[in-house]
Amino acid sequence: MNRICSNANSLIELYCELELNKQDTQPKVTKIYPEDYKDDEILKIIGHFCFPCILPYRDEYFRSNPSQSFSFVLTNEMMKFGFCRYERSVESSVAKAIVILSFHPWHDVFLKFLNVLIDLRKKVHEKQFDSYLHMTLNKIIPREQTPINLTFSSNGIILQEFTFRRPPNRQLPSIPENHNLNLFYNYIEPKTMIEIFAALLAERRIIFVSQNLDKLSSCLQASCSLIQPMYWQHIYIPILPAKLKDYLLAPIPFCVGCHQSVFNSVRQEEIGEVVVVNCDTNIVINPYKDVTETLPQEIVNYLKKNLSNSPADLRGDRIPRIFLSSLVTLIGTYRDAISYQEHKMKFSNEVFIQSQSPQYKPFVEKVVHLQIFQQFIEERLNLIETNSELTDEFEIEVELQAAKMGRKSNQYKEFIRNIKGKANPVMKNAVKTVKATCKELKLKIKDKSDKTEFHLPNSNNSKDNICQNVFTQPAYTPSSSSSSTSSPASSSNMNILQEIEGILNASNSTNGSDSSKEKEDFNLIDFGDDNEESIPTNVPRNNLLDPFECVDNSDLLSDVIKELDKSTSIASRQNWTKFD
């Protein structure tokens, strides 16, 4: 699953200050905000992540890195991202760390925000600083790309002002805007990037090693972003505290960042077969042959060619887009293996494998069993079933590659549109309810034909006109007049209801047909693209799922039409144009 929380209400969850005296072996928490923070487990472990290897290198490290910033991740059901900065003068024997904890993986935002908080801490007294923290914690999180402004003032004088835009969730990282990708590009050569990419796709045990915590954390996190839209599903610790070094002995896939001193303190024979990426020397120790035996040679050649471009050509989101294009080539045809069976979306590994060209089939046979791919498929099926838009960078790249290969550029859109229509519970419930109501209404008209007369705007009972009236008029109401003559009205109403039932049966008859016939028949009703304009403003979304309740006598036909009107409100009405 994607363990990044998408609905966090607060900008930050915790502000924390820690100190480490020269004679101590454990850091001490000296300040937290909010003061009533209740997660004791976080407070116990956070010091180990801020000072992950304090004994082996403390004095030397702080002498050369007095104000270093870096990030770490606390992984549970949902990830929490920590952003830490050291503060220590050369003369002082006390090392200080300022850390903010957030559900948002906005590394560039929070690493800059740390500087603002540290500057404010030096300018104002304790209570005033706490009021600034209170304002920050209660800041409303706006929509993507919306500016967020934090203004800190005292007596009408602005002390600090911090403005940023909320980063899009699915946007690819870019150079020079993204801190992690910048360091990754500066310290990791293209050949090593490909080695890491192959190891991630093979779900290996991977250890990143460095003397610098910022470089270590950034290179690891940037590496894992190369497999988007998939997410690493196993142990994920960008900064591993010395206290948790036994995680390196775990016999399951992991992606862990170790300071060099922590890595050296573990016996290599105890770790076993593991991929080691040294971010300082750009050397990869890999007991596997993932580049030659896991990745197809065409993909390797493509990566080598494009990653060897000049630095100017690799600015922006070019590096992650190169890897994204590779993934589109490898798994972008996943939609060909999706079907709608037994009222549920299903993905077939066998169909997906058989649809591959020979050079990609060995890779696909392995990747379908990996958790990163299974998570990806589950997420895509969920998006389709909930009528969400597939508009991330991966899907856009799928369309571009399909166009380049000469495939019909709209065939995927048509596929998704048809699947959405068939899987849409609103449409299925509406069809079932209207059919049942039609039957009841026919019986009542037959029994009480001499009591009620219905008038439709068009008395012509031809099929085309009936269909046009049913699906274009906003509402129908029964006439208040009564007539003792029953034959014309009864006959007209019976014909109309028979036509309605015929239309509904035709739209529902494709479930049992073969795939080619199914698509042909289903296109008789084009559900169109879901958009806000197609939903009437006077029909709340929640009410679309309410069951249709039948009423007696003359109100029945009105309710049938209303139900049809509701069922079409989830699609573009102008698309209901062809009925055979």
Side-chain angles (χ1 to χ4, degrees):
M1 65 175 178
N2 180 4
R3 290 174 288 183
I4 296 178
C5 182
S6 59
N7 57 353
N9 296 322
S10 60
L11 186 62
I12 65 174
E13 182 185 359
L14 174 69
Y15 171 87
C16 185
E17 296 177 6
L18 304 98
E19 288 186 356
L20 178 65
N21 292 305
K22 190 171 183 179
Q23 66 272 16
D24 294 336
T25 59
Q26 300 292 337
K28 297 178 182 178
V29 176
T30 58
K31 177 182 178 61
I32 63 169
Y33 195 90
E35 296 177 351
D36 59 349
Y37 188 74
K38 295 181 170 38
D39 197 331
D40 293 333
E41 292 300 318
I42 294 285
L43 297 178
K44 288 178 182 178
I45 196 67
I46 196 170
H48 296 287
F49 283 89
C50 292
F51 298 95
C53 39
I54 55 179
L55 294 179
Y57 76 110
R58 176 171 55 192
D59 292 334
E60 296 80 4
Y61 187 83
F62 284 115
R63 190 173 292 111
S64 59
N65 302 275
S67 299
Q68 183 186 184
S69 299
F70 64 95
S71 61
F72 58 87
V73 177
L74 304 179
T75 306
N76 201 338
E77 290 185 2
M78 289 289 122
M79 291 181 177
K80 294 181 182 180
F81 298 86
F83 305 92
C84 179
R85 175 171 166 173
Y86 290 144
E87 287 294 311
R88 177 188 177 182
S89 64
V90 176
E91 298 80 15
S92 175
S93 61
V94 178
K96 296 182 179 181
I98 311 296
V99 61
I100 50 181
L101 206 63
S102 175
F103 280 108
H104 306 289
W106 304 342
H107 296 80
D108 307 290
V109 170
F110 289 117
L111 289 176
K112 293 176 182 177
F113 187 46
L114 273 175
N115 298 332
V116 174
L117 291 178
I118 289 173
D119 186 65
L120 282 173
R121 190 80 169 97
K122 297 174 182 178
K123 292 180 178 179
V124 300
H125 55 74
E126 189 83 14
K127 289 186 178 179
Q128 191 171 7
F129 184 70
D130 286 350
S131 68
Y132 295 153
L133 292 176
H134 178 77
M135 178 188 72
T136 303
L137 262 69
N138 290 277
K139 189 70 175 179
I140 297 175
I141 306 299
R143 295 180 178 180
E144 293 182 358
Q145 295 290 43
T146 303
I148 301 175
N149 180 264
L150 297 172
T151 302
F152 307 98
S153 60
S154 178
N155 298 322
I157 301 174
I158 296 177
L159 302 177
Q160 285 282 357
E161 190 169 17
F162 184 60
T163 302
F164 63 95
R165 290 182 180 273
R166 174 176 177 168
N169 290 332
R170 294 179 176 270
Q171 186 178 56
L172 295 177
S174 61
I175 297 173
E177 293 79 10
N178 187 274
H179 175 80
N180 292 342
L181 187 61
N182 267 334
L183 291 187
F184 178 72
Y185 174 68
N186 286 335
Y187 293 107
I188 303 298
E189 295 179 357
K191 181 180 178 181
T192 305
M193 293 182 188
I194 298 173
E195 288 265 12
I196 296 171
F197 182 65
L200 290 168
L201 291 180
E203 292 190 337
R204 302 297 186 193
R205 301 164 70 237
I206 310 171
I207 302 176
F208 287 74
V209 179
S210 176
Q211 294 275 2
N212 183 290
L213 293 177
D214 190 18
K215 182 194 300 184
L216 179 63
S217 175
S218 295
C219 288
L220 185 149
Q221 295 184 74
S223 296
C224 288
S225 71
L226 299 182
I227 63 172
Q228 288 184 2
M230 297 185 288
Y231 299 92
W232 185 255
Q233 297 295 299
H234 307 280
I235 296 174
Y236 179 76
I237 311 176
I239 297 290
L240 181 73
K243 181 181 178 67
L244 303 179
K245 64 182 180 181
D246 286 347
Y247 273 83
L248 300 178
L249 311 181
I252 58 177
F254 58 68
C255 196
V256 171
C258 283
H259 186 269
Q260 187 70 59
S261 62
V262 175
F263 182 71
N264 293 342
S265 67
V266 182
R267 296 173 58 186
Q268 302 302 306
E269 57 269 22
E270 292 180 344
I271 299 178
E273 293 187 334
V274 64
V275 178
V276 180
V277 181
N278 193 312
C279 302
D280 297 331
T281 63
N282 199 55
I283 294 175
V284 178
I285 301 174
N286 191 346
Y288 309 100
K289 299 179 180 179
D290 294 324
V291 173
T292 58
E293 296 183 358
T294 298
L295 285 180
Q297 189 59 45
E298 291 82 356
I299 298 299
V300 175
N301 293 340
Y302 170 81
L303 292 173
K304 288 180 178 179
K305 177 182 177 181
N306 287 273
L307 291 174
S308 62
N309 291 337
S310 64
D313 294 334
L314 295 176
R315 291 175 65 85
D317 64 2
R318 181 58 181 159
I319 291 177
R321 191 166 294 280
I322 289 171
F323 288 96
L324 181 71
S325 297
S326 300
L327 285 175
V328 169
T329 301
L330 293 170
I331 63 173
T333 58
Y334 76 94
R335 289 185 265 192
D336 296 338
I338 296 177
S339 61
Y340 183 68
Q341 302 174 18
E342 300 175 355
H343 307 294
K344 188 177 181 181
M345 306 296 302
K346 292 186 178 181
F347 178 84
S348 171
N349 288 345
E350 293 75 15
V351 173
F352 183 53
I353 293 171
Q354 293 304 318
S355 66
Q356 303 301 312
S357 56
Q359 66 268 34
Y360 299 137
K361 188 171 293 186
F363 171 83
V364 172
E365 288 175 342
K366 296 177 182 178
V367 79
V368 293
H369 300 293
L370 300 181
Q371 288 193 30
I372 55 173
F373 182 76
Q374 293 171 4
Q375 163 270 321
F376 165 75
I377 292 300
E378 289 176 6
E379 181 189 57
R380 299 289 136 163
L381 293 181
N382 181 64
L383 288 173
I384 296 173
E385 288 180 336
T386 56
N387 281 338
S388 302
E389 293 296 331
L390 297 175
T391 57
D392 60 10
E393 295 290 341
F394 180 83
E395 300 296 340
I396 294 173
E397 193 70 23
V398 167
E399 297 289 345
L400 291 175
Q401 286 202 16
K404 289 180 181 178
M405 295 173 63
R407 305 178 69 175
K408 293 181 179 179
S409 59
N410 63 350
Q411 69 177 22
Y412 283 124
K413 295 179 182 178
E414 181 180 345
F415 164 78
I416 296 299
R417 183 165 61 244
N418 289 344
I419 288 295
K420 280 184 179 181
K422 295 173 69 176
N424 193 331
V426 179
M427 182 60 67
K428 290 188 293 185
N429 290 338
V431 168
K432 290 180 181 179
T433 307
V434 173
K435 286 179 67 177
T437 307
C438 284
K439 291 180 180 179
E440 180 179 351
L441 183 57
K442 282 202 298 183
L443 293 174
K444 296 211 172 196
I445 290 175
K446 185 176 181 180
D447 294 338
K448 303 180 180 181
S449 59
D450 59 335
K451 295 182 180 180
T452 306
E453 181 179 355
F454 298 97
H455 297 281
L456 292 173
N458 193 334
S459 61
N460 189 338
N461 289 334
S462 68
K463 187 174 186 179
D464 292 338
N465 288 331
I466 290 172
C467 296
Q468 182 179 1
N469 287 333
V470 167
F471 292 107
T472 57
Q473 294 297 328
Y476 294 87
T477 55
S479 172
S480 59
S481 62
S482 300
S483 174
S484 59
T485 60
S486 61
S487 178
S490 175
S491 175
S492 174
N493 291 328
M494 290 291 288
N495 289 338
I496 292 171
L497 291 171
Q498 288 170 0
E499 295 293 345
I500 292 175
E501 277 198 300
I503 293 168
L504 294 173
N505 287 328
S507 69
N508 218 21
S509 65
T510 60
N511 291 338
S513 61
D514 61 86
S515 58
S516 60
K517 182 68 165 62
E518 181 177 12
K519 181 176 292 187
E520 180 184 351
D521 289 342
F522 198 76
N523 282 339
L524 295 178
I525 301 179
D526 186 0
F527 287 92
D529 294 323
D530 294 338
N531 55 63
E532 294 295 330
E533 295 179 357
S534 66
I535 302 178
T537 56
N538 63 338
V539 182
R541 283 182 178 271
N542 293 338
N543 291 342
L544 293 177
L545 294 173
D546 291 342
F548 174 56
E549 297 181 357
C550 300
V551 294
D552 290 334
N553 303 333
S554 61
D555 290 335
L556 279 171
L557 183 57
S558 175
D559 287 336
V560 170
I561 303 304
K562 287 179 182 178
E563 187 62 17
L564 287 170
D565 187 56
K566 284 202 293 183
S567 70
T568 60
S569 66
I570 58 173
S572 300
R573 287 183 183 159
Q574 62 270 22
N575 290 332
W576 294 67
T577 57
K578 181 180 178 183
F579 297 88
D580 290 339

